[in-house]
Amino acid sequence: MSVFAMRMLAGISAALALLLVVYAFEFPPVDSVQRGYRGLAMEENSNPRVDRAKVRANQLPEPAPATDPAGQKASQVYTNLKVLGDMDANEFLRLMTDMTTWVSPDQGCAYCHDENDLAADRPYTKIVSRRMLEMVRYINGSWKTHVADTGVTCWACHRGQPVPASVWYFDAPRTAQGQAGNRAGQNVASAAGGITALPVDPFTPFIKDGKDIRVLSGTALPAGNRASIKQTEWTYSLMMHISKGLGVNCTYCHNSRSFFDWDQSTPQRTTAWYGIRMTRDINTQFLEPLTPQFPANRLGPTGDVAKVNCATCHEGVYKPLYGANMIKDYPILVGPAPARTASAAPAAK
């Protein structure tokens, strides 16, 4: 190789190294806020430029203007109402207008309605949206342990899109070629696991099946100890998702001197505990049963319906929409708490 070629190669290598440095680190300033005990690295770091972009992306749309009461129930004016028939007819129309903004601003009312027969249960999105309204009312009435009094509306997940940006499907089996063999559900760059080689699907075991989320066993060997290294990797993958989904680091919920100990954790860990159970609840009780209603092109690679995880509502911030009250203009969206069932929200601790 000539001297000139060697110098060119060295120059290219130096440029690539500079690009790596530029894109691997954030430019200052970086803000740091202490969230816990001193000396335990319990602080949150954030980039003001990123924070400003997140604030712009997490705004509530203006509600439709208030209307005078019609003096009639919606069920007296419109037919085939199965969820919101007790609303005032004008308030019902106002809510429908806002739902269009929340879910299908480009498609309009026709996204969920047959424009020649608004009462008909077609297209399929009419049936789905009705069940989603029931889900929203259920969350606001039964899961105050997680959503408190800010609640959720369709906007919390949809943000003006028919399909929320952050949903998940069952992961299609991945088998490596040649001597690499079976990937065992990991060892590829996984977005769910924070672009690491951690397991690619932490949602099925923890946010669907309710597996125990732990990295320390509650018992000594050999009896009942299932906190294996493999189990730990799966748990870490879920934690990476939660961290990215909420835009926080581990110490937002955990005390760095003892990640296991609840007594030394922050209050946010309890809120997250309820959030994980709420997510399981709505996936199994509301979303998965809707699978037969969806056409094939709306299902995942293994034929399952889109499901929610932490990022679906949070979209990279520690509180959806930074804690904006989503239901103050829509009290009808707070449903009565149902009788306790196996899947119902656990009582506050």
Side-chain angles (χ1 to χ4, degrees):
M1 183 181 293
S2 68
V3 173
F4 176 76
M6 292 177 65
R7 288 177 176 173
M8 284 288 294
L9 183 60
I12 293 172
S13 299
L16 290 174
L18 179 60
L19 285 174
L20 179 62
V21 170
V22 168
Y23 285 102
F25 299 95
E26 292 191 8
F27 296 106
V30 174
D31 291 338
S32 180
V33 178
Q34 185 173 316
R35 298 290 188 189
Y37 301 106
R38 295 178 61 188
L40 296 176
M42 293 187 70
E43 67 270 341
E44 294 294 320
N45 300 316
S46 63
N47 187 311
R49 292 180 300 277
V50 175
D51 289 345
R52 287 192 292 270
K54 287 183 177 180
V55 169
R56 290 192 296 270
N58 282 274
Q59 298 292 321
L60 273 174
E62 287 294 324
T67 60
D68 294 329
Q72 289 180 292
K73 290 183 177 181
S75 58
Q76 296 174 306
V77 178
Y78 306 101
T79 58
N80 197 24
L81 295 187
K82 299 179 180 179
V83 181
L84 303 173
D86 288 337
M87 289 185 72
D88 179 86
N90 284 351
E91 274 298 299
F92 173 80
L93 187 59
R94 174 175 174 266
L95 178 60
M96 291 296 103
T97 301
D98 282 332
M99 285 181 61
T100 303
T101 299
W102 296 338
V103 177
S104 55
D106 296 329
Q107 298 84 352
C109 303
Y111 182 69
C112 290
H113 292 280
D114 181 338
E115 291 186 298
N116 297 315
D117 184 1
L118 296 179
D121 282 341
R122 59 180 185 269
Y124 75 94
T125 45
K126 170 77 174 292
I127 298 172
V128 172
S129 64
R130 179 186 289 139
R131 188 60 175 152
M132 292 299 93
L133 273 172
E134 292 175 329
M135 181 187 75
V136 166
R137 300 188 77 226
Y138 172 72
I139 292 171
N140 291 331
S142 303
W143 283 100
K144 288 184 180 294
T145 47
H146 187 69
V147 301
D149 291 324
T150 59
V152 297
T153 63
C154 312
W155 180 263
C157 293
H158 283 269
R159 311 292 178 96
Q161 303 177 78
V163 181
S166 300
V167 293
W168 67 277
Y169 302 90
F170 295 139
D171 189 64
R174 304 185 189 196
T175 302
Q177 300 297 318
Q179 297 180 350
N182 194 321
R183 294 187 187 275
Q186 61 183 97
N187 299 321
V188 294
S190 164
I195 314 299
T196 68
L198 291 168
V200 298
D201 177 19
F203 309 125
T204 299
F206 299 130
I207 294 184
K208 176 185 178 295
D209 296 338
K211 300 288 187 181
D212 202 13
I213 304 172
R214 63 166 63 245
V215 297
L216 292 177
S217 175
T219 60
L221 288 170
N225 188 330
R226 294 304 306 146
S228 63
I229 292 176
K230 183 71 173 178
Q231 170 73 18
T232 299
E233 290 176 339
W234 234 276
T235 298
Y236 281 178
S237 184
L238 178 67
M239 293 297 111
M240 293 287 280
H241 160 73
I242 294 175
S243 177
K244 183 174 178 59
L246 275 64
V248 298
N249 57 33
C250 306
T251 53
Y252 185 71
C253 292
H254 296 276
N255 189 322
S256 56
R257 72 177 300 277
S258 178
F259 279 67
F260 177 82
D261 193 345
W262 278 90
D263 290 338
Q264 299 184 59
S265 298
T266 69
Q268 288 85 353
R269 186 178 178 188
T270 301
T271 304
W273 186 91
Y274 286 114
I276 290 169
R277 281 148 185 81
M278 181 190 77
T279 305
R280 290 174 186 164
D281 190 15
I282 60 181
N283 278 331
T284 57
Q285 187 175 172
F286 291 92
L287 297 175
E288 290 191 303
L290 283 170
T291 302
Q293 303 296 337
F294 284 91
N297 67 310
R298 285 290 306 274
L299 301 176
T302 64
D304 62 309
V305 72
K307 293 170 285 296
V308 298
N309 53 30
C310 305
T312 311
C313 280
H314 282 266
E315 286 292 350
V317 298
Y318 60 95
K319 287 184 179 180
L321 302 170
Y322 288 101
N325 192 317
M326 285 182 254
I327 57 174
K328 62 182 176 64
D329 294 311
Y330 315 98
I332 191 65
L333 294 182
V334 183
R340 290 295 303 279
T341 64
S343 64
K349 294 184 179 179

